[in-house]
Amino acid sequence: MLLDDEVLAVILAVVVIASILGVALTLRDYYSVEPFTALGLLDSSCKIGDYPKRVIPGDNVTLCIYVYNHEGKPIYWSVVYKIGSNETLPTQEKPSSQPPIAEWRGVLSHGANETRIIVITIPKELKIGEKVALIFELWLYDAGRMEWVYSGRWNHLYVSVVG
Amino acid sequence: MKIFIAALILTLALTALLANAEVSQGDFDARVGEALARLERFNMKTDIDGIVARLGEAVRLWESGKRDEALRVVDGVNAEISGLEERAWVIEVQFYLGLAVRVLAFLSLPLIVYFGLPRVYLRLWYYFRRRWLVASRR
């Protein structure tokens, strides 16, 4: 035989592995999506880094939020803005107990993301010298239960309140 | 007669106003959520990005206070989803056929290589040596 048997065997082994990998990847795209969402907090130019460190009560602060959907289905999301402290930060299971100040909503397809510039208001009631956390929680709408469900994703930014 | 027409127009205008005024944030969320739930079965089976984008547009309109416009967009999206639901079986058959063809194509690769490669190799071997002359050695 012109083509050596051993060479053919090696080529076949590579092709069999490639074939199995191809089938697995094709089916994985449709049937085994590991669902997750992501929330990011960015600066006013929608980049990581230049976050405000000091805020003045009553002032507006421009920030940017980033939401990514990998749930395997389209989602209706809401980012809720709260102000809290070390003791009132959210956890993966529970949202912050603080009242919401503002919220932003949107809809995303599977695999899509959205970056949105937001303007938040710093409440006038904050005391000068206080260190507070600007909390952003990601909530998803559950159409079956007809209610918003906390996703377990949140970001927070510590700022000092100055006069 | 004029009074009757004026009263009719006023009633219709008030009804339209009240119908939209009744839609609360919770109702709107439920409408968007319901539309997304109906879309879920078509996810990855056909291109629904345009419909999802229109729902996103409706949410933006609602947030900016253009509630009537937002509700009209949601109604339009619901009509589009109904259209998809009417030909759901065609979409599903197309999707599963496409998937089966892709899987079979991958699975048949080793067979094609096993049977085809030696033949192709042989043909190429002869092709590149077609002008060779065979001479007997002394």
Side-chain angles (χ1 to χ4, degrees), chain A residues 1-2 12 15 19 22-23 26 29-31 72-76 104-105 107-110 116 141 143 146 148, chain B residues 25 29-30 32-33 36-37 40 43-44 49 52 59 63 95-96 99 102 106-107 110 113-114 117-118 122 125:
Chain A
M1 193 175 175
L2 281 175
L12 262 179
V15 170
S19 160
V23 172
T26 304
D29 282 351
Y30 298 105
Y31 293 108
K73 59 183 181 183
I75 57 163
Y76 183 23
W104 301 270
R105 292 167 192 217
V107 178
L108 278 178
S109 301
H110 167 73
R116 192 183 292 186
Y141 192 78
M146 304 273 272
W148 288 96
Chain B
Q25 177 71 60
D29 289 343
V32 174
L36 285 178
E40 227 175 274
N43 192 42
M44 294 191 202
D49 287 352
V52 175
V59 173
E63 281 190 330
F95 166 74
Y96 287 114
L99 193 62
R102 283 168 71 179
F106 276 120
L107 288 178
V113 170
Y114 181 75
L117 186 66
L122 197 65
W125 194 92

Side-chain angles (χ1 to χ4, degrees), chain B residues 5-25:
Chain B
I5 292 170
L8 189 70
I9 290 169
L10 194 69
T11 312
L12 285 174
L14 274 174
T15 312
L17 204 70
L18 283 173
N20 284 335
E22 276 172 14
V23 181
S24 65
Q25 177 71 60

Side-chain angles (χ1 to χ4, degrees), chain A residues 25-90:
Chain A
L25 288 176
T26 304
L27 295 178
R28 192 196 67 162
D29 282 351
Y30 298 105
Y31 293 108
S32 179
V33 177
E34 201 173 310
F36 68 89
T37 46
L39 171 69
L41 183 64
L42 306 164
D43 64 20
S44 54
S45 49
C46 289
K47 288 179 180 159
I48 297 173
D50 193 18
Y51 297 105
K53 290 182 179 70
R54 288 177 288 275
V55 294
I56 299 167
D59 259 18
N60 288 333
V61 176
T62 305
L63 287 168
C64 195
I65 49 170
Y66 166 89
V67 182
Y68 173 67
N69 172 25
H70 198 86
E71 286 285 317
K73 59 183 181 183
I75 57 163
Y76 183 23
W77 59 266
S78 168
V79 172
V80 179
Y81 161 54
K82 298 172 177 177
I83 285 201
S85 63
N86 234 347
E87 291 79 40
T88 54
L89 284 182

Side-chain angles (χ1 to χ4, degrees), chain B residues 64-79:
Chain B
S64 61
K66 296 173 183 167
R67 299 193 162 193
D68 294 344
E69 220 174 310
L71 290 171
R72 268 199 297 279
V73 174
V74 174
D75 288 342
V77 165
N78 275 321

Side-chain angles (χ1 to χ4, degrees), chain B residues 94-114:
Chain B
Q94 276 176 346
F95 166 74
Y96 287 114
L97 264 178
L99 193 62
V101 166
R102 283 168 71 179
V103 169
L104 281 177
F106 276 120
L107 288 178
S108 60
L109 267 180
L111 287 175
I112 291 168
V113 170
Y114 181 75

